[in-house]
Amino acid sequence: MTDLATRPEHAPADHPKVARGKTGILLANLGTPDHYSYWPMRRYLNEFLSDRRVIDYAPWKWQPLLQLIILTKRPFTSGEAYKSIWNHDKGESPLMTITKDQTAKFADLMAARHGDQVMVDFCMRYGNPSTESKVREMVKAGCERILFFPLYPQYAGATSATANDQFFRALMKETWQPASRTIEPYYDDPRYIDALANSVEEAYGQLEKRPDILVVSYHGMPLRYLMQGDPYHCQCAKVTRLLKERLGWKDTDLVTTFQSKFGPEDWLQPYTVEEVARLASEDGKKNIAVIAPAFSADCIETLEEINEEIKESFEEAGGEHFTYIPCLNDRDDHIQVLADIATENLQGWL
């Protein structure tokens, strides 16, 4: 990035140089530990599980349990899960690798459209690179405007909202605060549905036998959040319906489920891990495929939970053929969708 810092016109000789004139686009993903060993895992989990958007129990009740019990054990089990999917060649998690690839392709598209007017980067809500550090870099590089783009198609308080919270907290620390915009959920954008459908059609086209059913698995959340007004469940249901219509399938060709339940209270149901077992044992669905539209990039919840734990549950119940359809990741049609949405949200800025 070229240094745009100059002394303002008519300013005295001792006036600090100021960089101006850029528009930043900051892609945001959930986050990843720096390593799967105990202390990096503990730092990451502590930041994640201390977020009141994720776990909203009163701190006086939750923090002793988290610090004294959960964080003494969970870093070991989570670390083993991360180790099983770790990109050892690059020394990072798959989510980090994929997010870098997405950002590079996205930046190339935006540069082709807008030249050097736009600065593109990514941040993580938890872990590194932090949202605060990337906002600081953009401001220092001369970004007078920042479009913040959480990579979550559906809105949820524990994903989109907490990412936005962190972005706004970062802006609070800037002396000269840039103008800012955030992206609204794009779960029902026809271009996003097309990309999802394309990934399903391509995956099915490579199989010798068509799966009996497609399990559309979304990350879960406490049922209580839905009752409090979080729109996530409704948006997930609409994605499944739109995907079904775009594929031209029947209602019985796919089913919506929710994964990653945590804690004792009721979460959105049916639970993926239980539903795949029921499909195999009760409905005789011995050949299934699973897709995870709530994730823009493959991560621990897809590569380890779906492709290992949930697959094992299905096979133990008598299932025979399990196909996981990867997230959209850095597919060209996915990056095109993200670039189109960003361009539309830059109206009036470029």
Side-chain angles (χ1 to χ4, degrees):
M1 179 65 64
T2 303
D3 185 5
L4 299 178
T6 59
R7 186 178 299 111
E9 189 177 2
H10 307 304
D14 61 349
H15 193 289
K17 290 184 177 181
V18 180
R20 300 189 62 184
K22 289 283 187 181
T23 296
I25 305 176
L26 187 55
L27 306 177
N29 219 322
L30 178 73
T32 171
D34 295 325
H35 195 262
Y36 51 78
S37 55
Y38 179 82
W39 287 109
M41 282 302 314
R42 179 167 180 134
R43 285 193 296 271
Y44 173 75
L45 290 172
N46 182 50
E47 184 180 10
F48 176 50
L49 296 175
S50 292
D51 185 350
R52 294 293 303 279
R53 289 278 196 181
V54 176
I55 306 291
D56 65 351
Y57 301 146
W60 66 266
K61 182 187 300 183
W62 172 244
Q63 281 298 322
L65 177 64
L66 176 64
Q67 301 299 329
L68 300 176
I69 299 177
I70 295 174
L71 290 181
T72 60
K73 299 178 180 179
R74 194 175 177 101
F76 291 110
T77 56
S78 294
E80 285 300 310
Y82 268 98
K83 184 178 180 180
S84 71
I85 64 166
W86 201 254
N87 184 340
H88 294 280
D89 291 338
K90 295 190 175 182
E92 61 192 21
S93 73
L95 177 64
M96 179 64 77
T97 302
I98 294 167
T99 304
K100 287 178 178 178
D101 292 342
Q102 290 174 322
T103 303
K105 281 191 172 183
F106 179 88
D108 287 344
L109 268 181
M110 299 309 291
R113 296 179 183 185
H114 307 293
D116 62 359
Q117 297 180 77
V118 171
M119 174 182 179
V120 173
D121 210 335
F122 76 93
C123 64
M124 298 294 186
R125 169 60 183 90
Y126 313 105
N128 296 307
S130 69
T131 305
E132 182 178 331
S133 69
K134 289 302 179 178
V135 168
R136 179 87 283 277
E137 285 182 20
M138 285 191 161
V139 171
K140 189 175 180 181
C143 292
E144 297 178 313
R145 302 159 295 274
I146 298 179
L147 176 65
F148 187 67
F149 198 150
L151 295 176
Y152 304 108
Q154 304 86 16
Y155 173 94
T159 54
S160 310
T162 190
N164 289 337
D165 289 346
Q166 198 73 349
F167 174 58
F168 298 140
R169 279 191 284 265
L171 292 177
M172 289 171 64
K173 298 184 178 182
E174 292 302 322
T175 302
W176 189 343
Q177 196 177 69
S180 62
R181 294 175 180 172
T182 61
I183 297 287
E184 66 179 343
Y186 53 96
Y187 64 97
D188 58 353
D189 189 307
R191 296 165 298 189
Y192 163 68
I193 299 299
D194 272 342
L196 273 182
N198 290 341
S199 72
V200 173
E201 290 171 338
E202 289 173 17
Y204 272 44
Q206 295 171 5
L207 299 174
E208 292 183 4
K209 183 179 179 183
R210 177 187 171 90
D212 300 321
I213 194 168
L214 175 66
V215 177
V216 189
S217 180
Y218 300 88
H219 197 287
M221 72 177 187
L223 178 62
R224 174 169 51 85
Y225 290 9
L226 169 62
M227 297 298 103
Q228 292 170 351
D230 194 301
Y232 177 71
H233 177 269
C234 300
Q235 293 181 3
C236 292
K238 187 171 184 180
V239 170
T240 301
R241 177 175 64 80
L242 293 175
L243 178 61
K244 178 200 69 175
E245 293 172 356
R246 162 62 177 77
L247 291 168
W249 289 4
K250 304 186 297 293
D251 290 346
T252 52
D253 289 330
L254 67 180
V255 60
T256 296
T257 64
F258 297 90
Q259 63 184 86
S260 308
K261 182 181 184 298
F262 176 80
E265 63 181 306
D266 288 337
W267 279 42
L268 299 178
Q269 296 187 37
Y271 302 133
T272 306
V273 69
E274 296 178 359
E275 181 65 8
V276 296
R278 191 197 67 78
L279 288 170
S281 62
E282 297 181 17
D283 289 2
K285 308 290 189 184
K286 305 297 186 182
N287 180 0
I288 70 169
V290 181
I291 191 172
F295 302 97
S296 64
D298 277 306
C299 54
I300 192 73
E301 286 86 358
T302 62
L303 299 175
E304 194 275 335
E305 185 179 359
I306 290 180
N307 217 16
E308 294 183 20
E309 295 178 29
I310 290 170
K311 178 181 179 181
E312 183 179 332
S313 174
F314 172 69
E315 291 175 343
E316 288 180 349
E320 298 171 0
H321 301 287
F322 183 97
T323 300
Y324 170 62
I325 300 174
C327 293
L328 295 179
N329 294 328
D330 65 340
R331 287 174 55 103
D332 289 344
D333 52 2
H334 182 216
I335 304 303
Q336 184 73 47
V337 171
L338 300 180
D340 288 348
I341 292 171
T343 297
E344 290 162 7
N345 278 269
L346 292 172
Q347 293 290 325
W349 274 6
L350 297 177

